[in-house]
Amino acid sequence: VVDLLPATMKVADLLADNPGDWLFHCHVAEHMREGMFARLTVHPRHAVGASRTPDAAFLGLLHAAQSMRIGRAELVGKGSGPAGASELVIEGDVTTYDGFAVFSQPVRVQLGQKVAVFKLTQGNVARESGAVFRVTNANEFGVVRGGIIHFEMVANGADWLATASGGSASAQTPVSLSLDLGAIHHTAVARVTSIAK
């Protein structure tokens, strides 16, 4: 067992001398529920045909391999479809280190080909290029605790609306969304739904 405090790491050497499948995990139950575990397979030294190729996701749960989740992506307007849309609303969560100060890093958002860089100010809000970006769980000092940023973006610029609709009137339009916190890059697919008020 190796004790780790938030935002710290340790390096340990392992002598894998007992072949088999082993559970590599955190002892905090909440962390395990969120996917902080993996299977460690030790092959016998002279095993023939043993695959040492890593799995697609290192952590235990598939959703834990993603660093950003989109909870809401909607084109909201007076009518249905992109033509009646008056604003785009995106809400989601993105991982960060504990004690992240929202004022310290610019936030770069790219939806399809549309890009905006937000610099958050007092109130944990920024306005840029026809959009408003807000961090909803930062404290009064602009600090996010717990390693998860809850964000909301509301855009009403024509470029944002056209990108989100993909030029289609379909019920759901998948659009690539990336969010950069300083040098850290997060990506997800936003499935944008058109709804009428």
Side-chain angles (χ1 to χ4, degrees), residues 42-125:
V42 178
H43 298 287
R45 180 183 302 267
H46 301 294
V48 177
S51 173
R52 289 171 171 81
T53 305
D55 287 336
F58 175 73
L59 296 177
L61 301 178
L62 185 60
H63 78 269
Q66 299 173 341
S67 61
M68 181 167 60
R69 288 180 241 170
I70 306 301
R72 177 183 179 202
E74 295 174 344
L75 283 169
V76 182
K78 296 174 184 162
S80 61
S86 59
E87 65 182 17
L88 166 67
V89 180
I90 297 177
E91 296 174 0
D93 305 312
V94 64
T95 59
T96 188
Y97 55 87
D98 190 38
F100 179 81
V102 298
F103 308 131
S104 66
Q105 301 286 334
V107 177
R108 181 184 183 272
V109 175
Q110 181 171 354
L111 184 73
Q113 300 302 314
K114 177 64 179 167
V115 177
V117 178
F118 299 95
K119 184 68 176 159
L120 280 84
T121 58
Q122 190 172 9
N124 309 317
V125 143

